[in-house]
Amino acid sequence: MLDLLFFGLFATVAVLCAINVVVQKHPISSALSLVGVMASLAVLYLLLGGEFIAMAQIIVYAGAVMVLFIFVIMLLNAGIEVRRGRSWMATIFGAPALLGLLGVLACLLVRWFPDAPVVKFGDFTGGTAKEVGYALFTDYLLPFEVTSVLILIAILGAVVLARKELD
């Protein structure tokens, strides 16, 4: 029962912080809200029994990647977002369209996966460092390397954009 309470609490925090990432006007505030999402996800991993994955989430994403994001935001000297007028169609049809999409997705998931197993807290045993490392460097080596190259290209692009603004 306590696991369900913690799951509900931290899932709600993760969703609210994720909404706050999109709603914030200043990019630094959005990045800090993203740290809240990452920390909440780490707690959810802990509830599932993935201690290594939870600590990797904190160290890699909430630590290193967020420092990189904030560094790039400051390097680009991004200011507060300028709000423009909203479309009246987006204002009227946005929320009902979102609810309809979520309903259709829920129906499709129930129809496609009727016998999906129920998640039991603490039953996950696949999150050890050995298993994650083995999977990362065997089955997922190419996506891992492609992701690292994409991050490097993004950093170089940010440096080039910042340098052009200074000139």
Side-chain angles (χ1 to χ4, degrees):
M1 184 65 185
L2 193 59
D3 287 336
L4 189 59
L5 177 72
F6 278 136
F7 174 78
L9 174 70
F10 284 103
T12 304
V13 169
V15 169
L16 291 177
C17 285
I19 291 170
N20 201 26
V21 167
V22 178
V23 172
Q24 284 295 323
K25 292 181 182 180
H26 201 279
I28 296 292
S29 300
S30 291
L32 291 175
S33 294
L34 195 56
V35 170
V37 172
M38 299 300 170
S40 297
L41 287 178
V43 173
L44 293 176
Y45 290 147
L46 278 175
L47 286 172
L48 288 173
E51 292 87 8
F52 176 75
I53 297 173
M55 289 305 108
Q57 176 82 15
I58 292 292
I59 292 168
V60 174
Y61 290 108
V65 172
M66 290 313 302
V67 167
L68 179 67
F69 280 4
I70 291 175
F71 175 72
V72 169
I73 289 169
M74 290 182 173
L75 186 66
L76 292 175
N77 199 15
I80 294 177
E81 177 185 3
V82 177
R83 297 279 181 172
R84 296 194 173 107
R86 292 186 179 178
S87 166
W88 63 271
M89 288 193 52
T91 304
I92 294 172
F93 297 116
L98 177 65
L99 291 175
L101 175 68
L102 291 176
V104 167
L105 286 176
C107 289
L108 288 176
L109 284 174
V110 169
R111 180 170 293 175
W112 287 345
F113 305 107
D115 298 326
V118 177
V119 174
K120 295 179 183 161
F121 293 109
D123 282 352
F124 179 70
T125 59
T128 64
K130 179 181 177 183
E131 292 170 347
V132 171
Y134 183 78
L136 187 63
F137 292 113
T138 55
D139 299 334
Y140 300 105
L141 182 63
L142 182 63
F144 178 74
E145 293 299 330
V146 168
T147 302
S148 65
V149 169
L150 285 174
I151 290 173
L152 179 64
I153 291 170
I155 292 170
L156 290 174
V159 169
V160 168
L161 286 174
R163 188 166 287 211
K164 283 184 181 179
E165 284 184 7
L166 293 176
D167 292 339

